[in-house]
């Protein structure tokens, strides 16, 4: 399945974030890589929760900040690996948890929060969806979310 978005920016509420997650979830499968970036509290994990809800994840979805990795099973034909790079010092930690094998397998959906911390890892990857979450000044309930393929 191909995501029809090349570049899209929304300025919206939590409901619009949910709608965006729904749109993306209907057009992805195993082998896609979703890179999430934005300040702490800007909505990255909430977006993942919405995305996983639409993909019929059978586990509780939470931020893997302390664990670096959460794995979710779906009722689809692929698993989801949800990484959080925020606490990583270097890529040696990724070797220990099998990150590179997961990334190369192409049969799971890989989601990475704080992906820009090691963006050189994704330079030659296909099926990448980049999503940036930004706060909007003077309104704590709105976000500007930019999706790029």
């Amino acid at each position: 399945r191909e995501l029809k978005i090349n570049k899209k920016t929304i300025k919206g509420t939590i409901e619009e974030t949910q709608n965006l997650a729904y749109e993306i979830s209907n057009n992805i499968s195993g082998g896609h890589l979703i890179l999430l970036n934005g300040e702490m509290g800007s909505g990255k994990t909430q977006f993942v929760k919405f995305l996983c809800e639409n993909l019929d994840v059978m586990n509780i979805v939470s931020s893997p900040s302390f664990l670096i990795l959460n794995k979710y099973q779906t009722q689809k034909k692929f698993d989801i690996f949800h990484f959080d790079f925020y606490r990583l010092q270097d890529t040696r930690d990724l070797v220990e948890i099998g990150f590179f094998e997961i990334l190369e397998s192409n049969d799971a959906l890989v989601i990475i929060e704080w992906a820009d911390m090691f963006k050189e890892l994704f330079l030659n990857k296909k099926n990448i969806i980049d999503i940036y979450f930004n706060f909007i000044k003077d309104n704590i309930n709105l976000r500007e979310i930019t999706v790029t393929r």
Side-chain angles (χ1 to χ4, degrees), residues 111-146:
I111 303 170
I112 303 168
E113 295 190 38
W114 299 93
D116 273 358
M117 292 180 69
F118 297 101
K119 62 184 171 188
E120 68 278 1
L121 297 176
F122 315 110
L123 294 177
N124 298 316
K125 297 294 172 200
K126 295 179 180 173
N127 294 323
I128 292 178
I129 302 167
D130 259 317
I131 306 177
Y132 285 84
F133 296 81
N134 295 300
F135 289 105
I136 293 179
K137 287 185 178 180
D138 304 323
N139 192 333
I140 61 168
N141 295 317
L142 291 179
R143 300 290 184 274
E144 178 184 77
I145 304 171
T146 303

Side-chain angles (χ1 to χ4, degrees), residues 28-36 81 83 99 103 108-112 115 121-123 125-130 148:
I28 58 173
S29 61
H32 277 92
L33 177 61
I34 299 178
L35 308 178
L36 305 177
F81 291 90
F83 293 88
F99 172 78
L103 198 58
L109 171 61
V110 177
I111 303 170
I112 303 168
L121 297 176
F122 315 110
L123 294 177
K125 297 294 172 200
K126 295 179 180 173
N127 294 323
I128 292 178
I129 302 167
D130 259 317
T148 311

Side-chain angles (χ1 to χ4, degrees), residues 36-140:
L36 305 177
N37 291 286
E39 294 177 49
M40 186 79 69
S42 61
K44 296 179 296 296
T45 302
Q46 185 60 58
F47 175 84
V48 175
K49 287 179 181 181
F50 288 144
L51 190 77
C52 289
E53 182 180 298
N54 292 327
L55 292 171
D56 299 323
V57 164
M58 297 179 279
N59 320 68
I60 294 174
V61 176
S62 62
S63 174
S65 290
F66 295 100
L67 303 172
I68 303 173
L69 167 64
N70 287 340
K71 180 181 177 185
Y72 312 121
Q73 294 179 315
T74 70
Q75 294 187 17
K76 311 285 185 201
K77 294 187 187 301
F78 59 90
D79 290 332
I80 298 172
F81 291 90
H82 180 195
F83 293 88
D84 188 324
F85 284 2
Y86 184 73
R87 298 189 183 286
L88 288 181
Q89 301 299 315
D90 60 54
T91 56
R92 284 182 295 207
D93 294 329
L94 295 174
V95 171
E96 292 176 17
I97 59 173
F99 172 78
F100 297 101
E101 290 83 1
I102 293 166
L103 198 58
E104 293 302 318
S105 74
N106 273 340
D107 54 4
L109 171 61
V110 177
I111 303 170
I112 303 168
E113 295 190 38
W114 299 93
D116 273 358
M117 292 180 69
F118 297 101
K119 62 184 171 188
E120 68 278 1
L121 297 176
F122 315 110
L123 294 177
N124 298 316
K125 297 294 172 200
K126 295 179 180 173
N127 294 323
I128 292 178
I129 302 167
D130 259 317
I131 306 177
Y132 285 84
F133 296 81
N134 295 300
F135 289 105
I136 293 179
K137 287 185 178 180
D138 304 323
N139 192 333
I140 61 168

